[in-house]
Amino acid sequence: MIKFDVLTLFPEMFDSLKTSIIGKALEKEKIHINLINMRDFSQDKHKKVDDTPYGGGAGMVMKPDVVYKAYQSIQKDQAKVIYLSPQGKTLNQKKVEELSQESHLILLCGHYEGIDQRVLDKIVGEEISIGDYILTGGEIPAMVLIDSVSRYVDGVLSKDSIQEESFSSGLLEYPQYTRPEIFEGETVPEVLLSGHHEKIKKWRKEKSEEITKKKRPDLWKNKETKC
């Protein structure tokens, strides 16, 4: 099991994780998600969590004392603290699989113009980004990380599903088909109806390579370099 402690200003945003595969993983106790509302740790009567930046500039900065008190409320053990930040390394499949081996992750969600650097220096072990663009806060990136990592936790998905999906082998996944056999005049590729497992395996590999070359030449180039 892996435990996620999430430091956030908007815990209600995470309700969507209670559905589908992640919802089932929660029910089976394969993962645990604990949401900590950082506003609860503000000493201000209006539950203010931010202030103007020293040196001037637009926007507001999250106060270090509020973030630190919220962090201190967690039973940490050997937890890894991740700050969801556009300055972090981009999340990829290798990192997802690496994080799935952790037993406890603390995810820090920033807002406004960011978080006071002093508390980041004190508690954060790693910064992770989900892409080179800016969002209004760290909640959506945290949900992306939870979803992607949880899929690799033992018992959440079958091992076959994980091994054959995009990026698991450095290639994009081959095309998938299901009933009806004929749709709008288009038929399922004949090889998939043959029952010949070796031919199907070969076809899928060729299609994965073809799709990767076409849609993600950068991935194909990286794979060729490693070969």
Side-chain angles (χ1 to χ4, degrees):
M1 187 186 86
I2 184 169
K3 179 182 180 182
F4 298 95
D5 276 303
V6 185
L7 297 165
T8 175
L9 296 178
F10 301 97
E12 62 275 12
M13 289 183 68
F14 292 82
D15 286 348
S16 61
L17 291 177
K18 298 175 183 177
T19 62
S20 190
I21 291 171
I22 305 304
K24 290 178 181 177
L26 287 166
E27 289 175 6
K28 294 177 181 178
E29 298 185 345
K30 299 296 181 181
I31 65 171
H32 177 74
I33 301 173
N34 180 40
L35 304 173
I36 299 100
N37 190 338
M38 290 186 283
R39 291 186 191 279
D40 294 340
F41 298 87
S42 172
Q43 299 300 304
D44 183 85
K45 66 179 181 179
H46 300 296
K47 295 299 180 182
K48 187 177 180 182
V49 297
D50 59 349
D51 210 330
T52 55
Y54 280 116
M60 305 288 276
V61 177
M62 289 179 64
K63 294 161 63 68
D65 55 333
V66 174
V67 175
Y68 191 58
K69 286 174 184 175
Y71 165 75
Q72 286 184 308
S73 74
I74 299 170
Q75 187 70 36
K76 289 173 278 297
D77 303 320
Q78 295 181 336
K80 184 181 185 71
V81 182
I82 296 173
Y83 176 39
L84 285 309
S85 162
Q87 296 185 13
K89 291 183 179 179
T90 305
L91 185 66
N92 58 26
Q93 198 66 21
K94 182 179 178 182
K95 175 56 69 173
V96 165
E97 293 180 28
E98 177 187 313
L99 292 176
S100 70
Q101 302 304 308
E102 299 283 345
S103 60
H104 188 186
L105 295 174
I106 298 173
L107 308 182
L108 175 58
C109 304
H111 259 275
Y112 315 121
E113 290 303 308
I115 298 174
D116 188 298
Q117 188 64 42
R118 292 169 293 179
V119 73
L120 296 179
D121 291 341
K122 190 171 184 65
I123 70 173
V124 172
E126 184 173 3
E127 294 188 28
I128 289 180
S129 167
I130 62 168
D132 293 337
Y133 46 87
I134 306 299
L135 297 171
T136 54
E139 282 75 18
I140 291 175
M143 284 187 273
V144 168
L145 189 146
I146 291 171
D147 187 289
S148 59
V149 169
S150 295
R151 299 174 78 257
Y152 279 81
V153 174
D154 189 39
V156 174
L157 289 177
S158 70
K159 290 184 179 180
D160 287 344
S161 294
I162 292 171
Q163 288 171 353
E164 294 186 2
E165 63 189 6
S166 290
F167 305 112
S168 58
S169 63
L171 297 172
L172 300 182
E173 192 175 7
Y174 47 79
Q176 298 280 14
Y177 300 87
T178 188
R179 295 181 178 82
E181 187 177 323
I182 301 174
F183 170 71
E184 295 289 312
E186 297 292 328
T187 60
V188 174
E190 188 175 343
V191 65
L192 299 179
L193 306 174
S194 68
H196 195 298
H197 297 300
E198 284 304 314
K199 286 183 178 179
I200 292 172
K201 185 177 179 180
K202 182 174 181 291
W203 179 87
R204 284 175 168 171
K205 183 175 184 296
E206 289 173 351
K207 283 297 178 181
S208 285
E209 291 176 349
E210 179 184 317
I211 289 170
T212 305
K213 288 178 187 178
K214 180 180 179 181
K215 295 184 178 181
R216 290 293 302 275
D218 56 319
L219 287 178
W220 180 253
K221 184 178 180 181
N222 287 340
K223 188 169 180 63
E224 282 188 314
T225 302
K226 293 176 183 178
C227 291

